[in-house]
Amino acid sequence: MTYDPTGHLLLTPVDPEAPARVRRLSQLGFGDRPDPAFDAFAQRLAETTGAPYSMVNFIDENRQFFAGLHTPGGGDLNAAASSPDVGRFMARDHGFCPHVVVRRKALVLEDVCDYPRFAGNPVVDEIGIRSYLGAPLIDRTGIALGTICVVDTEPRPWGRAGLETIKSLAAELIEQIHRREDGTV
């Protein structure tokens, strides 16, 4: 965590792995365009968890990119927000995935408003996110490429079952990414 000059806690953790991640994402060809396979995976995430929104998210030094995205009605995550032009990109200081990448561990927020550290995140007020479930995508080189996550505008009791589900699905997607890299898909 860092502080701004006025002494306020900044919500996004310092990410020393970002330059290596950017190089690895570039090597894999990820991080700047939608991918139908990742969109299909995001849809499966939503169906499996019953969440209205789901993402396959790659994170660079400044932003997040939803290479896979599922929303109700197929629109952007911010369709109901005051800034609908964000689409598949979101600032790095918005949302909870940057925390998952830096922590390298899954994160369960059944009601983000119960956690002062997360309740002040811009997605809470701007988009109305109230619950989050995400897991890191750590590849064979040890780099956390990004996350898979599901979110809802209502509090959700994800529980241990949700945590195990998101971790299992992250492992499954990493296997798919490795097969793609190896040319065995």
Side-chain angles (χ1 to χ4, degrees), residues 92-141:
R92 194 176 167 281
D93 64 349
H94 284 55
F96 312 108
C97 291
H99 294 271
V100 172
V101 166
V102 170
R103 289 168 25 119
R104 302 173 65 84
K105 293 177 14 182
L107 179 63
V108 178
L109 300 172
E110 294 183 345
D111 186 341
V112 298
C113 294
D114 290 342
Y115 303 88
R117 178 180 187 183
F118 298 112
N121 194 285
V123 298
V124 176
D125 292 332
E126 293 175 15
I127 302 173
I129 301 302
R130 285 294 300 274
S131 61
Y132 172 91
L133 177 64
L137 296 170
I138 301 173
D139 80 346
R140 64 177 69 153
T141 69

Side-chain angles (χ1 to χ4, degrees), residues 1-2 8-13 93 95 98-99 116-122:
M1 272 307 158
T2 59
H8 291 96
L9 181 68
L10 295 178
L11 298 176
T12 306
D93 64 349
H99 294 271
R117 178 180 187 183
F118 298 112
N121 194 285

Side-chain angles (χ1 to χ4, degrees), residues 2-172:
T2 59
Y3 293 85
D4 72 16
T6 64
H8 291 96
L9 181 68
L10 295 178
L11 298 176
T12 306
V14 174
D15 184 2
E17 191 176 72
R21 178 180 316 106
V22 169
R23 287 189 299 277
R24 181 68 174 139
L25 289 171
S26 177
Q27 180 184 24
L28 292 168
F30 299 156
D32 60 359
R33 63 185 174 277
D35 186 304
F38 293 148
D39 281 340
F41 196 88
Q43 181 173 344
R44 186 164 154 243
L45 275 171
E47 291 168 356
T48 301
T49 62
Y53 302 94
S54 59
M55 287 75 76
V56 174
N57 186 11
F58 298 120
I59 301 172
D60 68 21
E61 291 142 318
N62 303 307
R63 67 182 183 178
Q64 304 175 69
F65 174 67
F66 305 128
L69 177 64
H70 172 79
T71 64
D76 291 333
L77 178 62
N78 294 6
S82 59
S83 56
D85 58 331
V86 174
R88 287 191 182 250
F89 293 94
M90 183 178 287
R92 194 176 167 281
D93 64 349
H94 284 55
F96 312 108
C97 291
H99 294 271
V100 172
V101 166
V102 170
R103 289 168 25 119
R104 302 173 65 84
K105 293 177 14 182
L107 179 63
V108 178
L109 300 172
E110 294 183 345
D111 186 341
V112 298
C113 294
D114 290 342
Y115 303 88
R117 178 180 187 183
F118 298 112
N121 194 285
V123 298
V124 176
D125 292 332
E126 293 175 15
I127 302 173
I129 301 302
R130 285 294 300 274
S131 61
Y132 172 91
L133 177 64
L137 296 170
I138 301 173
D139 80 346
R140 64 177 69 153
T141 69
I143 302 266
L145 303 173
T147 67
I148 61 169
C149 69
V150 294
V151 298
D152 201 336
T153 56
E154 301 293 329
R156 295 279 304 255
W158 304 111
R160 176 145 313 274
L163 176 63
E164 294 306 319
T165 297
I166 201 78
K167 288 167 55 176
S168 173
L169 288 166
E172 183 180 318

